[in-house]
Short mmCIF file of all heavy atoms in Angstrom, two decimals:
data_model
loop_
_atom_site.label_atom_id
_atom_site.label_comp_id
_atom_site.label_asym_id
_atom_site.label_seq_id
_atom_site.Cartn_x
_atom_site.Cartn_y
_atom_site.Cartn_z
N ALA A 1 52.49 -7.29 -18.35
CA ALA A 1 53.33 -6.09 -18.44
C ALA A 1 54.82 -6.42 -18.51
O ALA A 1 55.61 -5.60 -18.99
CB ALA A 1 53.06 -5.18 -17.24
N ASP A 2 55.21 -7.63 -18.08
CA ASP A 2 56.65 -7.95 -18.07
C ASP A 2 57.23 -8.14 -19.48
O ASP A 2 58.45 -8.23 -19.65
CB ASP A 2 56.94 -9.17 -17.20
CG ASP A 2 56.34 -10.48 -17.73
OD1 ASP A 2 55.72 -10.46 -18.81
OD2 ASP A 2 56.48 -11.52 -17.04
N VAL A 3 56.38 -8.18 -20.52
CA VAL A 3 56.94 -8.30 -21.88
C VAL A 3 57.73 -7.04 -22.25
O VAL A 3 58.59 -7.08 -23.14
CB VAL A 3 55.84 -8.57 -22.94
CG1 VAL A 3 55.08 -9.84 -22.63
CG2 VAL A 3 54.91 -7.38 -23.09
N ASN A 4 57.45 -5.94 -21.58
CA ASN A 4 58.17 -4.69 -21.85
C ASN A 4 59.63 -4.77 -21.43
O ASN A 4 60.44 -3.91 -21.78
CB ASN A 4 57.49 -3.52 -21.14
CG ASN A 4 56.18 -3.15 -21.80
OD1 ASN A 4 56.14 -2.79 -22.97
ND2 ASN A 4 55.08 -3.24 -21.05
N GLU A 5 59.98 -5.81 -20.66
CA GLU A 5 61.37 -5.99 -20.24
C GLU A 5 62.23 -6.53 -21.38
O GLU A 5 63.46 -6.51 -21.31
CB GLU A 5 61.42 -6.94 -19.04
CG GLU A 5 60.71 -6.39 -17.80
CD GLU A 5 60.52 -7.44 -16.72
OE1 GLU A 5 61.09 -8.55 -16.86
OE2 GLU A 5 59.80 -7.16 -15.75
N LEU A 6 61.57 -7.04 -22.43
CA LEU A 6 62.32 -7.55 -23.59
C LEU A 6 62.68 -6.39 -24.52
O LEU A 6 61.81 -5.60 -24.90
CB LEU A 6 61.48 -8.58 -24.34
CG LEU A 6 61.13 -9.86 -23.56
CD1 LEU A 6 60.12 -10.69 -24.34
CD2 LEU A 6 62.39 -10.66 -23.29
N ASP A 7 63.95 -6.29 -24.89
CA ASP A 7 64.42 -5.16 -25.69
C ASP A 7 63.79 -5.10 -27.08
O ASP A 7 63.65 -4.03 -27.66
CB ASP A 7 65.95 -5.22 -25.84
CG ASP A 7 66.66 -4.98 -24.52
OD1 ASP A 7 66.04 -4.34 -23.63
OD2 ASP A 7 67.80 -5.43 -24.36
N ASN A 8 63.42 -6.24 -27.61
CA ASN A 8 62.93 -6.29 -28.99
C ASN A 8 61.40 -6.36 -29.09
O ASN A 8 60.86 -6.55 -30.17
CB ASN A 8 63.54 -7.49 -29.72
CG ASN A 8 63.30 -8.81 -28.99
OD1 ASN A 8 63.23 -8.82 -27.76
ND2 ASN A 8 63.18 -9.90 -29.73
N VAL A 9 60.71 -6.24 -27.95
CA VAL A 9 59.23 -6.28 -27.93
C VAL A 9 58.69 -4.92 -27.50
O VAL A 9 59.13 -4.35 -26.48
CB VAL A 9 58.72 -7.39 -26.99
CG1 VAL A 9 57.20 -7.35 -26.89
CG2 VAL A 9 59.17 -8.76 -27.50
N TYR A 10 57.73 -4.44 -28.26
CA TYR A 10 57.10 -3.14 -27.96
C TYR A 10 55.61 -3.40 -27.75
O TYR A 10 54.89 -3.76 -28.70
CB TYR A 10 57.34 -2.16 -29.10
CG TYR A 10 58.80 -1.98 -29.43
CD1 TYR A 10 59.44 -2.86 -30.31
CD2 TYR A 10 59.54 -0.98 -28.82
CE1 TYR A 10 60.79 -2.73 -30.59
CE2 TYR A 10 60.90 -0.83 -29.10
CZ TYR A 10 61.52 -1.70 -29.98
OH TYR A 10 62.87 -1.56 -30.25
N ALA A 11 55.15 -3.27 -26.50
CA ALA A 11 53.76 -3.63 -26.16
C ALA A 11 52.94 -2.38 -25.85
O ALA A 11 53.41 -1.44 -25.21
CB ALA A 11 53.76 -4.58 -24.96
N PHE A 12 51.71 -2.40 -26.33
CA PHE A 12 50.77 -1.29 -26.11
C PHE A 12 49.44 -1.87 -25.62
O PHE A 12 49.03 -2.95 -26.07
CB PHE A 12 50.54 -0.51 -27.41
CG PHE A 12 51.82 -0.05 -28.08
CD1 PHE A 12 52.48 -0.86 -29.00
CD2 PHE A 12 52.37 1.18 -27.77
CE1 PHE A 12 53.65 -0.45 -29.61
CE2 PHE A 12 53.55 1.61 -28.37
CZ PHE A 12 54.20 0.79 -29.29
N ASN A 13 48.77 -1.12 -24.71
CA ASN A 13 47.45 -1.57 -24.26
C ASN A 13 46.42 -0.48 -24.54
O ASN A 13 46.73 0.55 -25.17
CB ASN A 13 47.47 -1.95 -22.77
CG ASN A 13 47.90 -0.80 -21.87
OD1 ASN A 13 47.42 0.32 -22.02
ND2 ASN A 13 48.79 -1.06 -20.93
N VAL A 14 45.17 -0.68 -24.10
CA VAL A 14 44.10 0.25 -24.45
C VAL A 14 44.38 1.67 -23.96
O VAL A 14 43.97 2.65 -24.62
CB VAL A 14 42.72 -0.22 -23.89
CG1 VAL A 14 42.20 -1.40 -24.67
CG2 VAL A 14 42.80 -0.53 -22.41
N ASP A 15 45.10 1.82 -22.86
CA ASP A 15 45.39 3.16 -22.37
C ASP A 15 46.37 3.90 -23.27
O ASP A 15 46.42 5.14 -23.28
CB ASP A 15 45.93 3.10 -20.94
CG ASP A 15 44.84 2.80 -19.92
OD1 ASP A 15 43.66 2.75 -20.33
OD2 ASP A 15 45.15 2.62 -18.73
N ASP A 16 47.16 3.17 -24.04
CA ASP A 16 48.11 3.81 -24.96
C ASP A 16 47.44 4.38 -26.20
O ASP A 16 48.07 5.08 -26.99
CB ASP A 16 49.18 2.79 -25.39
CG ASP A 16 50.03 2.33 -24.22
OD1 ASP A 16 50.49 3.19 -23.46
OD2 ASP A 16 50.22 1.11 -24.07
N LEU A 17 46.15 4.08 -26.38
CA LEU A 17 45.43 4.57 -27.56
C LEU A 17 44.96 6.02 -27.40
O LEU A 17 44.51 6.63 -28.35
CB LEU A 17 44.22 3.68 -27.84
CG LEU A 17 44.50 2.19 -28.05
CD1 LEU A 17 43.19 1.45 -28.29
CD2 LEU A 17 45.44 1.99 -29.22
N LYS A 18 45.05 6.54 -26.19
CA LYS A 18 44.46 7.86 -25.92
C LYS A 18 45.05 8.95 -26.81
O LYS A 18 44.34 9.84 -27.27
CB LYS A 18 44.63 8.22 -24.44
CG LYS A 18 43.76 7.37 -23.53
CD LYS A 18 43.96 7.71 -22.05
CE LYS A 18 43.07 6.86 -21.18
NZ LYS A 18 43.29 7.11 -19.74
N ALA A 19 46.35 8.89 -27.05
CA ALA A 19 46.99 9.93 -27.88
C ALA A 19 46.46 9.88 -29.31
O ALA A 19 46.23 10.92 -29.94
CB ALA A 19 48.50 9.76 -27.86
N VAL A 20 46.25 8.67 -29.82
CA VAL A 20 45.73 8.52 -31.18
C VAL A 20 44.31 9.07 -31.26
O VAL A 20 43.94 9.80 -32.18
CB VAL A 20 45.74 7.03 -31.59
CG1 VAL A 20 45.08 6.85 -32.95
CG2 VAL A 20 47.15 6.50 -31.61
N VAL A 21 43.53 8.69 -30.27
CA VAL A 21 42.13 9.10 -30.25
C VAL A 21 42.00 10.62 -30.14
O VAL A 21 41.14 11.24 -30.75
CB VAL A 21 41.40 8.41 -29.08
CG1 VAL A 21 40.01 9.00 -28.88
CG2 VAL A 21 41.30 6.91 -29.33
N ALA A 22 42.90 11.24 -29.36
CA ALA A 22 42.81 12.68 -29.12
C ALA A 22 42.87 13.48 -30.42
O ALA A 22 42.26 14.54 -30.55
CB ALA A 22 43.93 13.12 -28.18
N GLN A 23 43.60 12.97 -31.40
CA GLN A 23 43.72 13.68 -32.68
C GLN A 23 42.38 13.78 -33.41
O GLN A 23 42.16 14.67 -34.21
CB GLN A 23 44.73 12.95 -33.57
CG GLN A 23 46.13 12.90 -32.99
CD GLN A 23 47.03 11.98 -33.81
OE1 GLN A 23 46.70 11.58 -34.91
NE2 GLN A 23 48.19 11.63 -33.25
N ASN A 24 41.50 12.81 -33.14
CA ASN A 24 40.23 12.77 -33.87
C ASN A 24 39.06 13.33 -33.06
O ASN A 24 37.91 13.29 -33.50
CB ASN A 24 39.91 11.32 -34.25
CG ASN A 24 41.00 10.69 -35.07
OD1 ASN A 24 41.37 11.20 -36.11
ND2 ASN A 24 41.56 9.60 -34.58
N GLN A 25 39.34 13.83 -31.85
CA GLN A 25 38.25 14.16 -30.93
C GLN A 25 37.63 15.53 -31.13
O GLN A 25 36.45 15.72 -30.88
CB GLN A 25 38.74 14.07 -29.48
CG GLN A 25 39.09 12.66 -29.02
CD GLN A 25 37.87 11.78 -28.84
OE1 GLN A 25 37.18 11.45 -29.80
NE2 GLN A 25 37.57 11.43 -27.62
#
């Protein structure tokens, strides 16, 4: 999770997929 401290890195995990999935549900 500490990679999110880098200004130029944008990290996503499986829980971040929920919004995408909701569109197709």
Side-chain angles (χ1 to χ4, degrees):
D2 66 2
V3 302
N4 287 300
E5 296 169 9
L6 296 171
D7 292 337
N8 54 328
V9 175
Y10 304 86
F12 307 89
N13 60 46
V14 287
D15 286 354
D16 295 312
L17 303 179
K18 290 179 180 177
V20 175
V21 170
Q23 298 171 13
N24 303 304
Q25 293 289 67

